[in-house]
Short mmCIF file of all heavy atoms in Angstrom, two decimals:
data_model
loop_
_atom_site.label_atom_id
_atom_site.label_comp_id
_atom_site.label_asym_id
_atom_site.label_seq_id
_atom_site.Cartn_x
_atom_site.Cartn_y
_atom_site.Cartn_z
N GLY A 77 -21.72 12.51 51.62
CA GLY A 77 -21.05 11.40 50.92
C GLY A 77 -21.51 10.05 51.44
O GLY A 77 -22.00 9.21 50.68
N LEU A 78 -21.40 9.86 52.75
CA LEU A 78 -21.80 8.59 53.34
C LEU A 78 -23.31 8.38 53.22
O LEU A 78 -23.77 7.27 52.98
CB LEU A 78 -21.40 8.54 54.83
CG LEU A 78 -19.91 8.36 55.12
CD1 LEU A 78 -19.66 8.45 56.62
CD2 LEU A 78 -19.44 7.00 54.60
N GLY A 79 -24.05 9.47 53.36
CA GLY A 79 -25.51 9.37 53.28
C GLY A 79 -25.96 8.87 51.92
O GLY A 79 -26.86 8.03 51.82
N VAL A 80 -25.34 9.38 50.85
CA VAL A 80 -25.69 8.94 49.50
C VAL A 80 -25.34 7.46 49.35
O VAL A 80 -26.12 6.67 48.82
CB VAL A 80 -24.95 9.79 48.44
CG1 VAL A 80 -25.03 9.15 47.07
CG2 VAL A 80 -25.55 11.19 48.39
N LEU A 81 -24.17 7.09 49.85
CA LEU A 81 -23.72 5.70 49.75
C LEU A 81 -24.68 4.76 50.48
O LEU A 81 -25.13 3.74 49.95
CB LEU A 81 -22.31 5.59 50.35
CG LEU A 81 -21.63 4.24 50.20
CD1 LEU A 81 -21.19 4.06 48.77
CD2 LEU A 81 -20.44 4.13 51.14
N ILE A 82 -25.03 5.13 51.72
CA ILE A 82 -25.89 4.28 52.54
C ILE A 82 -27.32 4.28 52.00
O ILE A 82 -27.97 3.25 51.91
CB ILE A 82 -25.86 4.73 54.02
CG1 ILE A 82 -24.47 4.54 54.59
CG2 ILE A 82 -26.89 3.97 54.85
CD1 ILE A 82 -24.26 5.20 55.94
N GLY A 83 -27.78 5.47 51.61
CA GLY A 83 -29.17 5.60 51.17
C GLY A 83 -29.46 4.87 49.87
O GLY A 83 -30.58 4.44 49.63
N SER A 84 -28.44 4.75 49.00
CA SER A 84 -28.74 4.18 47.70
C SER A 84 -28.42 2.69 47.63
O SER A 84 -28.60 2.07 46.58
CB SER A 84 -27.96 4.94 46.61
OG SER A 84 -26.61 5.01 46.95
N ASN A 85 -27.99 2.12 48.72
CA ASN A 85 -27.68 0.69 48.69
C ASN A 85 -28.30 -0.03 49.89
O ASN A 85 -27.96 0.24 51.03
CB ASN A 85 -26.15 0.51 48.70
CG ASN A 85 -25.75 -0.93 48.43
OD1 ASN A 85 -26.33 -1.87 48.98
ND2 ASN A 85 -24.76 -1.09 47.58
N ARG A 86 -29.20 -0.95 49.57
CA ARG A 86 -29.96 -1.65 50.60
C ARG A 86 -29.05 -2.43 51.54
O ARG A 86 -29.25 -2.46 52.75
CB ARG A 86 -30.94 -2.60 49.91
CG ARG A 86 -32.05 -3.10 50.76
CD ARG A 86 -33.28 -3.36 49.91
NE ARG A 86 -32.96 -4.14 48.71
CZ ARG A 86 -33.07 -5.48 48.61
NH1 ARG A 86 -33.50 -6.17 49.63
NH2 ARG A 86 -32.77 -6.10 47.50
N TRP A 87 -28.02 -3.05 50.96
CA TRP A 87 -27.14 -3.91 51.78
C TRP A 87 -26.30 -3.07 52.73
O TRP A 87 -26.17 -3.39 53.90
CB TRP A 87 -26.25 -4.77 50.88
CG TRP A 87 -27.08 -5.70 50.06
CD1 TRP A 87 -27.32 -5.62 48.70
CD2 TRP A 87 -27.84 -6.82 50.52
NE1 TRP A 87 -28.17 -6.62 48.31
CE2 TRP A 87 -28.51 -7.38 49.39
CE3 TRP A 87 -28.03 -7.40 51.78
CZ2 TRP A 87 -29.34 -8.48 49.50
CZ3 TRP A 87 -28.86 -8.50 51.87
CH2 TRP A 87 -29.50 -9.02 50.75
N VAL A 88 -25.73 -2.01 52.18
CA VAL A 88 -24.93 -1.13 53.04
C VAL A 88 -25.79 -0.61 54.18
O VAL A 88 -25.36 -0.53 55.33
CB VAL A 88 -24.36 0.05 52.21
CG1 VAL A 88 -23.57 1.00 53.11
CG2 VAL A 88 -23.49 -0.45 51.08
N ARG A 89 -27.06 -0.29 53.84
CA ARG A 89 -27.95 0.24 54.86
C ARG A 89 -28.20 -0.80 55.96
O ARG A 89 -28.12 -0.49 57.15
CB ARG A 89 -29.28 0.63 54.21
CG ARG A 89 -30.07 1.60 55.01
CD ARG A 89 -31.03 2.39 54.15
NE ARG A 89 -31.99 1.56 53.47
CZ ARG A 89 -32.18 1.56 52.16
NH1 ARG A 89 -31.46 2.34 51.39
NH2 ARG A 89 -33.06 0.78 51.61
N ALA A 90 -28.47 -2.03 55.56
CA ALA A 90 -28.76 -3.08 56.52
C ALA A 90 -27.58 -3.31 57.46
O ALA A 90 -27.74 -3.52 58.65
CB ALA A 90 -29.11 -4.38 55.79
#
Side-chain angles (χ1 to χ4, degrees):
Chain A
L78 287 175
V80 166
L81 186 74
I82 295 169
S84 51
N85 190 315
R86 197 150 48 95
W87 297 108
V88 178
R89 200 156 61 235

